[in-house]
Amino acid sequence: MANLLAAPRVWDKKAVILKTEATYGVDPLPTGVANYIEARNVSLTSFDAETVDRNITQPYLGNGGKIVSTIWSKLSFEIALAPSGVAGTAPKWGPIMLALGFAETIVAVTSVAYNLISTAFGGVTAYLNIDGVNYKFIGCRGEASVSMSTKGLPILKVELTSGYTAPAALAMPALTTTGWMIEEAINSVNTGKLTVNGVDLAWSAFDWACGNDIKRIDLPGPQREVAIADRNPSASATVLAPALAAFDPYALAAANTPILISNTHGLVAGKKVKTDLKATISNVTEDQIEGMVAYKLTFTPTPVSGNDEIALSLI
């Protein structure tokens, strides 16, 4: 019988834990008991190196070599956009929002709101353990997008960038996985209309993204951080087309009319997610949903009084 090599690690045996940093870039030591994240479709780039060519002149062909100047890491995953189940109680995924350019406001027994900010961004530390090897992502900030489509689930997609920490052998942490609500499917029962400029519309898809401009800063001083330098949000929706007299997206787009867009998913207090956008319609494409005329609307979320183009409310 042939000898076997060392057993390979298994990709599906992994866990994500994540915690808010009290001081940006300082590891707050998340634990599996307190900081478990119910992540899906996890991917990582643990060693994202920036290099400098040495450009050495040689009397023969070949590389002159490279120097690794700085190293970064990325961690991407998805979570269900589901509230805590109790109005006024933050969800387990709340800390992630602080690293994506949002502030959290809690009104006891009533609501949890996530609103955009332009200064004093938070940061998080995440650990990803893959079958006995621990990857640390310290000083994370990143990009967020939401995808909602009928017969699907409300999904928040997260891409975090951090400085590099060398992976280390570490046993899988003990995990406490309670406190994560089971999400509700998007359908005619659980999900409300999409209101566009005061008109209630049936819809099949509604997506938006923060469009955060992520800068990786590594300067003598030292100044080393992942920074949110700007944002360029985007959004779109596919909606059934009523009579033109009831809803004319062409006229709204041509006039660059500022509009409000709103949707609520969920039926019961503590399980509702309300999305509000302030935007203009930047493009209209004819489409169809199950043989019925539809519009694919492209929105440009635009602030009115500042930091108000996208808002999430858990109610």
Side-chain angles (χ1 to χ4, degrees):
M1 177 181 290
N3 292 327
L4 293 178
L5 301 176
R9 291 186 294 126
V10 178
W11 173 253
D12 282 346
K13 294 170 64 176
K14 55 184 178 290
V16 176
I17 58 178
L18 178 148
K19 187 176 181 180
T20 304
E21 295 172 350
T23 301
Y24 175 77
V26 177
D27 186 353
L29 304 176
T31 69
V33 172
N35 307 114
Y36 167 77
I37 297 295
E38 192 177 78
R40 310 159 189 223
N41 296 322
V42 177
S43 64
L44 77 158
T45 303
S46 63
F47 195 93
D48 185 6
E50 297 177 6
T51 61
V52 180
D53 288 321
R54 299 187 71 202
N55 290 323
I56 296 175
T57 300
Q58 304 171 135
Y60 39 77
L61 301 180
N63 285 324
K66 294 178 182 289
I67 298 293
V68 173
S69 62
T70 189
I71 312 168
W72 305 92
S73 298
K74 284 186 178 180
L75 175 65
S76 299
F77 55 87
E78 299 176 356
I79 58 172
L81 193 64
S84 67
V86 179
T89 298
K92 293 287 188 176
W93 47 266
I96 299 171
M97 300 297 286
L98 307 183
L100 304 175
F102 290 85
E104 179 183 75
T105 302
I106 299 175
V107 179
V109 306
T110 301
S111 66
V112 180
Y114 294 99
N115 298 101
L116 293 169
I117 55 176
S118 294
T119 59
F121 300 110
V124 297
T125 287
Y127 295 175
L128 168 63
N129 191 297
I130 306 180
D131 199 8
V133 173
N134 199 50
Y135 301 84
K136 290 187 179 183
F137 305 83
I138 301 172
C140 291
R141 290 180 176 134
E143 163 66 345
S145 62
V146 168
S147 177
M148 300 178 68
S149 59
T150 53
K151 302 179 183 178
L153 302 173
I155 295 296
L156 173 65
K157 301 177 181 180
V158 178
E159 181 181 272
L160 299 174
T161 299
S162 74
Y164 171 74
T165 301
L170 185 69
M172 185 72 69
L175 302 173
T176 298
T177 61
T178 55
W180 288 82
M181 291 299 300
I182 296 176
E183 64 277 14
E184 297 178 321
I186 299 168
N187 56 34
S188 61
V189 175
N190 298 327
T191 315
K193 67 229 175 205
L194 188 70
T195 302
V196 182
N197 197 42
V199 180
D200 296 338
L201 301 169
W203 57 279
S204 65
F206 179 39
D207 305 312
W208 59 265
C210 285
N212 289 335
D213 181 11
I214 300 299
K215 301 294 187 185
R216 308 190 303 188
I217 299 171
D218 186 19
L219 300 174
Q223 181 73 16
R224 181 170 170 82
E225 69 170 314
V226 175
I228 300 175
D230 201 355
R231 64 174 171 260
N232 184 25
S234 59
S236 65
T238 301
V239 301
L240 286 182
L244 203 59
F247 180 65
D248 187 346
Y250 309 102
L252 293 171
N256 201 41
T257 302
I259 61 172
L260 303 180
I261 303 155
S262 183
N263 170 258
T264 300
H265 174 66
L267 297 175
V268 180
K271 295 184 178 182
K272 298 179 183 179
V273 180
K274 186 173 185 287
T275 305
D276 290 290
L277 305 182
K278 295 180 179 179
T280 57
I281 299 175
S282 50
N283 200 16
V284 183
T285 303
E286 292 72 24
D287 205 339
Q288 61 89 23
I289 301 173
E290 302 292 347
M292 295 177 286
V293 179
Y295 301 123
K296 172 68 179 292
L297 304 176
T298 302
F299 304 117
T300 300
T302 306
V304 175
S305 57
N307 301 314
D308 56 354
E309 63 267 43
I310 299 173
L312 277 182
S313 301
L314 311 183
I315 51 181

